[in-house]
Amino acid sequence: MEFRNETRVTQFILLGISSDPDLQIIFFVLFLVIYLLTVGGNLLIIVTIYVDSQLHSPMYLFLSNLSALDVGVSTVVVPKYVINFVSQIKTISFNDCIAQMFFYHFFEGSECLLLVLMAYDRYVAICNPLRYTTIMNSQACLLLLVSIWVGGLVHGFGQAFPAVQLPYCGPNEIDHFFCDTHPLSVLACSSTFINEITDMINSGVLALGSFLVLFISYVYIISTVLKIRSSEGRRKAFSTCASHLMVVALSFCPLVFIYMRPPVTFAGDKLVSVFYTVVTPWLNPFIYTLRNEKMKKAIMKLGGKMRMN
């Protein structure tokens, strides 16, 4: 134990996606622009929902929380990555690495649970419209939101705590652009079998449980929508659900590919990781605003108020 303490790694080097100087400049500009658009777009959604009283309903409350989580996921990963593109020193301290891992899984886990909650909200709205205001009252919505944030906290702790217990004696180069469970665990100088099983169970319960609830919700939703006689009514119902399904697909498919498998590294892992940490948080505001007439009108109304002031 004394030897391990003396040789314990205190910082890691993030290798990133590419070491090509020309590509790094391109990536720096690209990821910086995407990050600024991500933060700006999601904050616009949050402010619009807060300001417009017509959007004070459970669906838009959950949407504002989704935007907050997207900002969180992106902010935990992207700024450090962007700085590393133009920095000669691409290191991250051990404590910062564990903190990044924890907050990333905290926000990502909370987002997965929130998508399930949003599916449940659509299920109640479409399948039990007469009881919607009773079931999804303000107290119930607040309790559900607290539960998904607590669930994310538990998931983040479950991913980061086992990593802290491992001894890291060198090498200290993480073959990734942020600190995550598998890229970090391969650097441990002891067996990681228990940690790998724990990670798979933790991620598996979250992913499979979420998928099961989503699947059951949408089976009922689709069967109910198909029974609507009015074609306009069916169109509106499907339009509302389509945006949510697009976000679910963009969020869950990459996460399942990365975390729901044995700890084997594939060539495309970094590209997939870029997709769910950078691209998906950027796309979500466009998906929900471009397909939602109410949101577009509210944003235009907010823009008009700002110009008048």
Side-chain angles (χ1 to χ4, degrees), residues 38-91:
T38 299
V39 174
N42 281 292
L43 288 179
L44 178 61
I45 287 178
I46 294 171
V47 171
T48 302
I49 292 172
Y50 177 78
V51 170
D52 197 321
S53 59
Q54 293 184 350
L55 301 180
H56 292 178
S57 65
M59 184 177 79
Y60 294 102
L61 173 64
F62 300 150
L63 178 56
S64 65
N65 273 261
L66 178 64
S67 292
L69 289 169
D70 278 335
V71 171
V73 169
S74 189
T75 300
V76 166
V77 175
V78 180
K80 175 62 177 173
Y81 188 36
V82 168
I83 291 171
N84 282 351
F85 281 130
V86 293
S87 175
Q88 295 296 321
I89 303 174
K90 306 181 189 300
T91 58

Side-chain angles (χ1 to χ4, degrees), residues 101-160:
M101 182 191 302
F102 166 76
F103 281 107
Y104 163 71
H105 284 282
F106 165 51
F107 288 125
E108 198 67 70
S110 298
E111 183 162 327
C112 289
L113 294 173
L114 180 60
L115 290 173
V116 174
L117 178 54
M118 293 173 75
Y120 174 71
D121 174 69
R122 291 300 85 205
Y123 160 76
V124 176
I126 293 173
C127 300
N128 295 283
L130 298 179
R131 298 182 57 203
Y132 180 77
T133 54
T134 303
I135 296 173
M136 301 302 291
N137 58 66
S138 57
Q139 185 176 359
C141 289
L142 180 60
L143 183 61
L144 288 168
L145 283 173
V146 170
S147 68
I148 67 106
W149 284 88
V150 171
L153 189 67
V154 172
H155 176 67
F157 184 78
Q159 293 294 91

Side-chain angles (χ1 to χ4, degrees), residues 140 185 227 297:
S185 66
K227 294 176 184 177
K297 289 179 180 178

Side-chain angles (χ1 to χ4, degrees), residues 64 75 88 154 173 182 224 270 285 300 306:
S64 65
T75 300
Q88 295 296 321
V154 172
E173 293 184 341
H182 177 57
T224 302
K270 291 182 184 179
M300 292 175 64
M306 293 177 65

